[in-house]
Amino acid sequence: MKVLIIEDNQDIAASISDYLESLDYTVDIAGDGMTGLNLAITKNYSVIILDLGLPDIDGVDLCQRLRQDAHCSVAVLMLTARGSLDNKLQGFESGADDYLVKPFALKELAARIKVLSERINRAPASRLQIADLSLEEATHEVYRAGKRIELSPSSFRLLMYLMQNPHRVITREELEYAVWQESPPDSDALRTHLYNLRQLVDRPFDRPLLHTIRGFGYKMTDKYAED
Ligand code: CA
């Protein structure tokens, strides 16, 4: 499970990181708000530990941008040295999921992270996510790296099926059935839709998520190095 620590105090960041790594978490550290925001949007974390007082943008502002601008639903645990009720309320209004006042015990922090990650895993699977690409089944909204992507209904169904079945090879026949059931419009329709999908979802971004596995089919994954 991946955790991002956004904290400008290096000693605190390092001690949290060491402790979480000893519990088998994978940890990234950002020493300022903009680096943290950028990592949070482009990588797929289970939980973000966010310091309220940062040198550039503060934690409340960062959390708001994460929720409102980037539509990122990752669990956020906010840290603050200031324990006042006002700060606490501001933290929750900005979209933080939990709150911890410094100084805190690392054991307490780890317990909170565990609860947050389990809560996220139990949430209904209406939102699909691979790396920085997300798809909301209920609202038919697709975002990559915070940018909204408009898809036709067929392309949306195609992408949804690929994202519901990540990291495995899916044949042409299986994809055609997922989008058009028994009656695909013609033999080239799938090829055209995949081409269009790539132009919108992969081409403008730094790395492809949709891969052609020659002779077998297609695979949606962020764990593919050979391509
Ligand atoms: Ca700080």
Side-chain angles (χ1 to χ4, degrees):
M1 209 171 69
K2 276 166 72 174
V3 175
L4 172 64
I5 303 169
I6 307 176
E7 163 68 85
D8 58 315
N9 183 314
Q10 288 182 13
D11 292 339
I12 295 178
S15 67
I16 296 173
S17 169
D18 288 349
Y19 189 77
L20 292 180
E21 278 172 351
S22 78
L23 300 173
D24 275 346
Y25 290 93
T26 307
V27 181
D28 286 341
I29 298 175
D32 62 75
M34 286 316 291
T35 308
L37 184 60
N38 197 32
L39 279 172
I41 292 169
T42 53
K43 291 194 176 186
N44 197 6
Y45 295 100
S46 302
V47 178
I48 294 176
I49 300 167
L50 175 61
D51 184 32
L52 183 63
L54 293 165
D56 46 357
I57 50 172
D58 78 6
V60 167
D61 192 15
L62 193 155
C63 197
Q64 270 167 351
R65 291 203 211 177
L66 200 58
R67 300 292 193 227
Q68 289 166 16
D69 301 344
H71 303 277
C72 187
S73 62
V74 61
V76 174
L77 173 71
M78 206 173 280
L79 303 178
T80 180
R82 298 166 258 163
S84 78
L85 187 64
D86 276 356
N87 282 327
K88 185 167 180 168
L89 291 175
Q90 228 188 352
F92 284 126
E93 272 169 28
S94 72
D97 300 280
D98 199 1
Y99 191 89
L100 209 51
V101 177
K102 294 176 183 175
F104 50 84
L106 288 168
K107 222 174 161 179
E108 169 77 18
L109 177 71
R112 302 277 190 102
I113 290 172
K114 190 160 179 285
V115 169
L116 279 177
S117 61
E118 283 169 358
R119 195 190 297 162
I120 299 295
N121 290 338
R122 275 201 308 271
S126 69
R127 184 191 175 88
L128 300 168
Q129 179 128 21
I130 295 178
D132 57 353
L133 174 67
S134 68
L135 177 150
E136 200 78 51
E137 284 182 47
T139 58
H140 285 197
E141 285 175 339
V142 175
Y143 289 92
R144 184 153 183 198
K147 288 201 190 78
R148 175 91 187 259
I149 296 171
E150 299 287 344
L151 295 176
S152 70
S154 299
S155 293
F156 180 84
R157 282 200 294 276
L158 183 59
L159 181 64
M160 186 162 86
Y161 191 78
L162 286 161
M163 291 181 75
Q164 282 168 337
N165 296 275
H167 319 304
R168 79 170 172 89
V169 178
I170 304 170
T171 63
R172 294 181 57 87
E173 293 72 26
E174 190 180 344
L175 280 177
E176 280 177 345
Y177 188 82
V179 180
W180 297 287
Q181 283 73 53
E182 306 294 350
S183 50
D186 64 70
S187 60
D188 261 353
L190 182 68
R191 196 196 307 274
T192 308
H193 276 86
L194 283 165
Y195 176 82
N196 291 337
L197 197 57
R198 277 203 165 106
Q199 293 298 314
L200 294 166
V201 168
D202 270 347
R203 184 56 67 82
F205 301 94
D206 58 349
R207 62 177 175 149
L209 297 174
L210 177 57
H211 303 274
T212 303
I213 312 299
R214 226 166 276 283
F216 294 99
Y218 303 91
K219 182 156 80 167
M220 195 90 196
T221 185
D222 58 344
K223 302 180 177 71
Y224 195 80
E226 303 98 285
D227 201 289

